[in-house]
Amino acid sequence: MQDIKNMTIREAEIRIEQLTKELDNHNYNYYVLSQPVISDLQFDMLLNELIALEKEFPSLLKPTSPSQRVGGEVTREFVKVIHKYPMMSLGNTYSETELSEFDERVRKMIPDEKIDYVAELKFDGVAIGLIYKEGVLIRAVTRGDGVQGDDVTNNVKTIKSIPLKLHGNHFPDEFEIRGEIIMHRKDFERINDDMVEIGESTYANPRNFASGTLKLQNSAEVARRKLDCFLYAIYGTSVSFKTHYETLQKAKEWGFKISENVKLCSSLQDVFNFIDHWGKKRDSLPYDIDGVVIKVNSFRQQEELGFTAKSPRWAISYKYQAESASTILNSISYQVGRTGAITPVANLEPVLLAGTTVKRASLHNADQIEKLDLREGDTVFVEKGGEIIPKVTGVDLKKRKSSHHPVEYITNCPECQTKLIRSEGEASHYCPNEDGCPPQIIGRLQHFASRKAMNIDGLGAETAELLYKEKLVNNIADIYDLTVEQIEQLERMGNKSATKLIEGINQSKAIPFERVLYAIGIRYVGDTVAKKIARHFKTMDKLMNATFEELKDAPEVGEKIAESVLVFFKNESKRKIVDRLKENGLQLTISTKGINAPLSEILIGKTIVVSGTFEKYERDELKSLIERHGGKNGSSVTGKTDYLLAGADCGPSKLEKATKLKVKVISEDEFTNMIKD
């Protein structure tokens, strides 16, 4: 690669054009075709080169550059935009009888003609309208009230399955394409897990998360959350196609992500078969659907059928019933997390739902309790349709008794009785007594010793709680002052267990800085952000003394995280704990030797799913090795998986699926030999 500083502007322009074309193709291969040809690491190297060139030659930066997908722009206020074509809602049906009645109405209005339908999955996401002019995305607008929506163009540009510039040249000069922005379940679970780790309130389902993400002010955070988008309808005066199905095929050629699960149906029975098939198979999809959309295929026939005041007469949605049950809300209890966040929990009369017995459901925060107008003793509806955890969706008011009183949200911590606080803009209440509230202290100890943090062998959740209750530790630095003699006196410990724990504590001193930073438990700093911050500042000393502006300059650090880090290190007791960790020999300086450096291309084009526990490596280390040897990490076993790298306690469902799909299962030793060849 030529030195950027010595390039002429013409040389830079040529190289930017090459990189743009190459990166656009890779984005299309990966996000639309699901057929990547290079590793994530190789892609990042090309993208970093492009960003460096555009920084050196700012006049060459274009709005359609792949670099614009990483985000960074901040939208203070979302502008309202009137839809050129109103975003009408579809009529809903829940039975084959109602769908047959829809078909009869269509055939009555268009007699003696063959009617073909197109059946599509109904994505459980956020409706979006994308406007293109001369093949370039110029605006993205949410549904809003159907008449006008919000301009979310900056955020939508970060969604890599949405083309900024179309392929080919046979598209209308100006048109709008509509679709649904979704969040895949694996990304929802990953980010929700991160939010739990940093003490934030979680979202109930991927749809809510996608909706909330699309309205974030910082587009860099939108990019991090990895939204996706399926497109399904084109509008425009110069659109000349005769059928809806033909339009979808052409949109796919232009670079849009069109669902493969679309069926052209020549009879109503074909529609029923499609509905039945996905009713049974929808849980196997990587994203949530809540039904099937049925549209008359012919645009001429659509025009004849026209619209009602609220919806088109030529389309309808068949909605699957979410699994639901009713039960008694016995009580509401309150849990205190390690950051002091209070989570209300509904304690239910046990009820069978989706194959499992449900006894508890999260209520998220005070706002949800107020919105539902919950009262202890109420008969409530509990739903588990595509949700990670059950949720209370409503109250059966017919069964409410006059003796049931509205729930009064607690004002004091249930553990230490400290008065709770709720900051402006926060969804949750917090206990501010972080150094004296037992669940917070125990939670921090457990987090510090956990596998993704310091991975201290022998210091599990129960042992951490026991050490605190026996007054041997009160903060994370105290762990390194423990002795075998102290521990072996404890119940269920003994010399062997005590020796093992001390060995685990000593071995944790070799854990790299980025994991130490994650382990100390700064609010909003999950493991991914900790890695970015550690690699940016290199040492704990530099981080502790960084200014607000210096913190904001770090990758993936916005105002919220920067303020949290600043507050953490302004606390004298926190600084003393870090000083004690330094005195005990923990790694507070990053090792830059070989970080993320490519090692070979031996795994290029290969997708590997890692599951279980291993003797020689941590799972994160294995995933890093896969990428550094050119491979790609998969989260679930699919037909595109090449290998399942299985350790002890490998997920049985992954093994079963690998066997079914004839995916090769390899051991840790086989993988080690593979990357040595």
Side-chain angles (χ1 to χ4, degrees), residues 181-371:
I181 290 176
I182 63 168
M183 178 175 280
H184 289 262
R185 291 195 199 106
K186 65 178 177 63
D187 292 315
F188 169 70
E189 292 173 26
R190 169 181 60 84
I191 299 171
N192 245 0
D193 286 346
D194 287 347
M195 296 185 83
V196 169
E197 287 175 0
I198 62 178
E200 279 285 86
S201 297
T202 57
Y203 281 81
N205 53 54
R207 173 178 40 79
N208 289 359
F209 219 146
S211 178
T213 296
L214 204 56
K215 295 297 293 291
L216 291 174
Q217 292 183 329
N218 187 346
S219 60
E221 176 62 18
V222 179
R224 190 181 75 82
R225 296 190 181 185
K226 297 183 179 179
L227 297 176
D228 200 355
C229 183
F230 284 104
L231 285 307
Y232 48 64
I234 289 180
Y235 297 80
T237 54
S238 56
V239 176
S240 57
F241 304 108
K242 293 183 178 180
T243 68
H244 174 60
Y245 191 79
E246 179 191 2
T247 303
L248 295 180
Q249 305 313 306
K250 187 58 67 174
K252 190 182 294 184
E253 292 178 19
W254 297 339
F256 292 111
K257 187 169 185 175
I258 308 298
S259 173
E260 294 177 356
N261 304 310
V262 174
K263 184 175 177 62
L264 181 59
C265 302
S266 58
S267 69
L268 190 60
Q269 187 57 51
D270 285 347
V271 174
F272 290 151
N273 292 342
F274 185 87
I275 289 170
D276 182 60
H277 173 81
W278 286 110
K280 296 172 181 174
K281 295 283 188 181
R282 58 177 171 147
D283 287 341
S284 67
L285 292 166
Y287 43 78
D288 289 345
I289 63 168
D290 59 0
V292 169
V293 175
I294 302 98
K295 301 174 183 173
V296 171
N297 187 36
S298 164
F299 285 146
R300 179 186 60 77
Q301 290 175 342
Q302 285 186 12
E303 192 172 344
E304 282 189 51
L305 289 163
F307 299 82
T308 68
K310 294 182 179 179
S311 57
R313 292 192 179 94
W314 43 264
I316 198 167
S317 73
Y318 179 96
K319 298 198 76 172
Y320 295 120
Q321 293 279 5
E323 292 204 53
S324 181
S326 65
T327 188
I328 304 296
L329 173 63
N330 289 326
S331 63
I332 295 176
S333 56
Y334 299 86
Q335 297 177 339
V336 185
R338 67 174 174 85
T339 62
I342 307 296
T343 301
V345 176
N347 300 304
L348 308 167
E349 193 68 26
V351 62
L352 189 65
L353 180 62
T356 59
T357 299
V358 173
K359 298 178 182 179
R360 310 175 84 204
S362 173
L363 293 170
H364 298 289
N365 52 52
D367 290 342
Q368 186 181 11
I369 292 174
E370 184 179 355
K371 182 179 178 182

Side-chain angles (χ1 to χ4, degrees), residues 451 455 611-619 621-622 645-648 667-669 672:
R451 189 172 189 83
N455 192 24
S611 180
T613 56
F614 301 87
E615 292 181 6
K616 298 176 183 175
Y617 300 101
E618 295 296 321
R619 266 193 294 182
E621 292 174 315
L622 287 169
L645 175 49
S667 67
E668 184 178 10
D669 287 339
T672 303

Side-chain angles (χ1 to χ4, degrees), residues 567-583:
V567 168
F568 186 91
F569 288 119
K570 276 184 179 178
N571 187 314
E572 193 58 37
S573 68
K574 298 285 192 292
R575 295 180 77 96
K576 285 180 180 177
I577 286 171
V578 172
D579 287 341
R580 287 177 62 196
L581 295 178
K582 187 189 298 183
E583 290 167 7

